Amino acid sequence: MTRESGAGSRVSEIRPAASGLNLPTSFAIVSRDESWQRGTMVESRLMHGHARQRGNSIEAVDTCDERLAHACDAAAEAVRALVDTLREAQVRMRVRATREDDAESVETTITLRMHDLSIVTTPADAHRDYALLKVLTGVQPAAKLAPLPIVWLNGSAAVLLHEAIGHAREHGAVEISWPLWLTVEAPLALRRETFRDVPLPRMTHLMARQSGAPFAPPRERIDVQLVAGGGYDPVTDIVTINVAVSSVGAFTIQRTRSEIAASLAGAVGEPLRYPGVICSREGQQLYVASDAPVMLMDALP
Amino acid sequence: MTSLYRKWGRVIRYENGTTIRVEEAGEATEVEGVFEVRPMPWGKGAQTRVSVPHHSRRQARASVLQDSLLEERVPLPQASLDLQQVESFVAQTLLSVHSCIVERLIISAGISTHETNGVTWTEESRRVHLSLVKGRLRVLVDLASFDLDALRSVAGALARVGDAREAPPRVRLAPNVAAALLPSLVGEIAIEQRGGGFDGQGLAIETRAVTADDPPNWYRPSYAIRPRRAWLNLRPLPFGTIDESVPIAVAMLAPVTGTSLHVLCIDGDAVYPAELSADRVTSVSNDEPVWYPYAAGSFGVEMML
């Protein structure tokens, strides 16, 4: 995007692709962020504040909204009881009670960590994901890394698409072609982590679906079960995915969006809930619920 | 270990087209290994109105509060920089780097008062983060001053960039590049912690040789972050002679990875990207160093590889 300077010269400045998105004039938040080890709380952070936006200016102060404080505390208290049942994992609980203009919401996420693996879940899925994490910590590589087709299990393809489609849209990247059997819903909204932050166009969630996709995974392949993280670079158009658990152990994929899109070879079944994505952009960490079917990717050269 | 830390702060920040003014105060306690953080009213240390769970720790925290020396409201001076000055610097920056695309521009000016262990001190800060793009190259600039010449110089170099080249056999690192690398050179060259000011526990920062021992000071970049021991404000000690005729790396094209650098080099009229390995530093200038906001503080001065 370009911006007119006061002196009349044109200067190029990339701005977030925010046009058409609703910009709240008022944002209030109360959040609690607690970390637990073996059932004992080791860190606790309370944060509250309010931001008021006028045009391109924001005034932010750390005032406390009592109504949001009560909602946050009630949700936090419920999660503390849950945390007590997840003692084999390091647990981080984050509750965010927010109001944007008149719309209030409470969001609770739980990050579970065992050994070097972590997943992000919600109270409703915490026990199921806790069991999954325990299983994944015991997975040993069955083979060495080789250029083989990849099957993305457990909804993990959602992370791939989060980077290659969701973040690319956030940055206003040029659209590229994806397989016709694939549809991806990743709506953007102006979101912020705290009252101190500038709202940015961010995904609210990502839901990938397949319709009539082929799916013929070869016997020799890599099965991906858990992804540690990823990234999208809008300057180079390169997507990076750090696989944490697979049949060949941990490895990293770095390819352009076009190469990723061209390699998608099929999918099967309904979307599976991936155990959570905490998405970080400009230092702002937000939860993005992510679902995708089991997907097949050709061997990457 | 029991401790109480309080901070009152104001900041004006320009971030990619939006200006945000933030005012907040918070306190952090560490009682029996439990680190707790909460906002705090601007007056004397009243507790927030939001309930704090875990009663035993709350009682312990109350005793810490009684020990606090802060009995009166802490006056926070107005930042010496006003909104107009920040916006003026933003406008000048955008004009100065017009030959490139601005991917990210964050400029802030702030003032904060800290209180812990019976010590109260006030700091002012200025920060500039600029990411400039040309083609598939991205230059990263981080400054602790509103130095327009530094930004103009980097933008000018990026505008003239040619194809990538092999690393030259000898290369100078400009102070901004050397400062980014310096935290990776601990143990490789002689480095001291430069004295002055207070650390995150209210201890005076004294000039010391950086060694493999535990650092004597604590780094607390925010009241919401648990402080950790760290060497602060690193400064490389001068040695050798800088050869002014060798190419110079003037800007970072990516964050430092270990001792590997992806940089923008100038050699005469040629400007090119190069990958460097800083395995052997052959000299460090004795010029007056400049402080940069890398790691827990890093002084930059010209170096030669």
Side-chain angles (χ1 to χ4, degrees), chain A:
Chain A
M1 296 178 74
T2 58
R3 166 187 158 135
E4 291 286 335
S5 77
S9 302
R10 290 180 72 83
V11 291
S12 299
E13 188 180 15
I14 295 177
R15 298 285 177 79
S19 61
L21 300 179
N22 178 48
L23 176 60
T25 57
S26 174
F27 173 85
I29 183 168
V30 177
S31 81
R32 283 196 179 276
D33 183 338
E34 297 177 359
S35 297
W36 303 72
Q37 288 181 350
R38 295 183 195 87
T40 302
M41 191 183 73
V42 292
E43 293 190 348
S44 168
R45 293 176 177 84
L46 170 67
M47 182 266 293
H48 51 64
H50 179 246
R52 189 176 300 279
Q53 179 133 10
R54 289 191 186 87
N56 288 334
S57 294
I58 299 173
E59 296 283 339
V61 290
D62 58 357
T63 50
C64 182
D65 182 296
E66 294 288 350
R67 183 180 162 92
L68 293 180
H70 284 120
C72 181
D73 279 354
E77 199 53 49
V79 178
R80 287 186 196 109
L82 178 63
V83 165
D84 203 41
T85 65
L86 310 170
R87 286 178 169 250
E88 288 179 57
Q90 294 176 39
V91 183
R92 181 180 174 192
M93 165 202 94
R94 192 163 77 151
V95 180
R96 300 171 77 243
T98 58
R99 182 186 304 113
E100 290 188 286
D101 290 336
D102 295 327
E104 288 185 10
S105 67
V106 177
E107 175 192 270
T108 301
T109 53
I110 300 170
T111 303
L112 303 172
R113 186 173 184 83
M114 293 178 72
H115 305 294
D116 289 333
L117 301 181
S118 65
I119 58 177
V120 183
T121 186
T122 60
D125 296 310
H127 282 121
R128 194 173 359 158
D129 289 337
Y130 180 58
L132 172 67
L133 183 60
K134 286 204 277 191
V135 169
L136 292 177
T137 58
V139 171
Q140 296 296 322
K144 287 187 176 175
L145 182 61
L148 293 170
I150 298 172
V151 175
W152 299 81
L153 303 170
N154 300 333
S156 58
V159 184
L160 182 75
L161 301 172
H162 173 104
E163 302 298 346
I165 295 180
H167 277 309
R169 281 183 189 159
E170 288 178 355
H171 288 280
V174 176
E175 290 288 334
I176 61 168
S177 296
W178 293 88
L180 293 175
W181 47 261
L182 176 67
T183 56
V184 176
E185 175 188 305
L188 302 183
L190 287 168
R191 302 177 68 193
R192 72 193 100 189
E193 181 181 358
T194 78
F195 69 99
R196 312 173 190 98
D197 296 314
V198 172
L200 297 172
R202 305 285 295 266
M203 280 169 273
T204 57
H205 64 276
L206 183 139
M207 175 66 74
R209 292 185 176 86
Q210 63 86 21
S211 175
F215 188 72
R219 222 172 59 171
E220 293 251 323
R221 63 180 195 250
I222 297 170
D223 286 340
V224 169
Q225 303 203 62
L226 189 73
V227 175
Y232 168 71
D233 186 332
V235 173
T236 59
D237 206 34
I238 285 177
V239 173
T240 300
I241 299 292
N242 298 309
V243 172
V245 179
S246 81
S247 52
V248 296
F251 66 98
T252 297
I253 294 172
Q254 279 196 314
R255 290 292 188 277
T256 63
R257 274 192 305 148
S258 297
E259 289 172 325
I260 297 282
S263 69
L264 293 183
V268 67
E270 294 297 311
L272 303 173
R273 178 188 58 82
Y274 184 71
V277 174
I278 294 287
C279 174
S280 181
R281 184 174 158 203
E282 301 292 340
Q284 297 190 48
Q285 296 190 332
L286 292 168
Y287 176 69
V288 180
S290 304
D291 300 65
V294 171
M295 290 180 67
L296 174 64
M297 173 186 263
D298 286 336
L300 293 167

Side-chain angles (χ1 to χ4, degrees), chain B residues 170-245:
Chain B
R170 291 196 304 159
V171 62
R172 289 176 293 150
L173 305 182
N176 56 313
V177 177
L181 173 66
L182 190 57
S184 298
L185 296 179
V186 171
E188 302 295 323
I189 61 171
I191 297 174
E192 71 177 16
Q193 170 177 279
R194 196 174 201 186
F198 298 94
D199 72 359
Q201 300 281 32
L203 302 171
I205 302 170
E206 296 177 349
T207 298
R208 298 272 192 95
V210 173
T211 67
D213 296 338
D214 270 352
N217 290 100
W218 297 78
Y219 180 51
R220 190 192 303 253
S222 153
Y223 81 88
I225 295 177
R226 192 192 283 255
R228 62 174 173 83
R229 283 191 182 275
W231 293 103
L232 308 175
N233 305 330
L234 302 180
R235 181 200 176 192
L237 297 179
F239 71 96
T241 306
I242 301 281
D243 182 348
E244 302 283 344
S245 69

Side-chain angles (χ1 to χ4, degrees), chain B residues 49-126:
Chain B
R49 290 167 292 170
V50 180
S51 65
V52 179
H54 314 298
H55 192 63
S56 60
R57 274 189 287 278
R58 189 163 147 189
Q59 287 174 326
R61 191 174 70 85
S63 69
V64 174
L65 288 170
Q66 286 167 6
D67 291 340
S68 167
L69 297 178
L70 192 74
E71 291 301 325
E72 302 298 329
R73 177 187 172 89
V74 172
L76 186 63
Q78 288 294 325
S80 60
L81 216 62
D82 63 22
L83 181 62
Q84 279 188 333
Q85 286 174 294
V86 171
E87 290 183 334
S88 168
F89 185 73
V90 168
Q92 291 175 67
T93 299
L94 291 174
L95 280 174
S96 298
V97 302
H98 67 276
S99 50
C100 306
I101 292 172
V102 178
E103 182 187 37
R104 183 182 296 108
L105 177 59
I106 301 172
I107 292 171
S108 66
I111 186 165
S112 55
T113 294
H114 312 251
E115 190 239 14
T116 188
N117 289 323
V119 183
T120 302
W121 71 101
T122 297
E123 294 174 336
E124 289 193 36
S125 65
R126 295 180 183 183

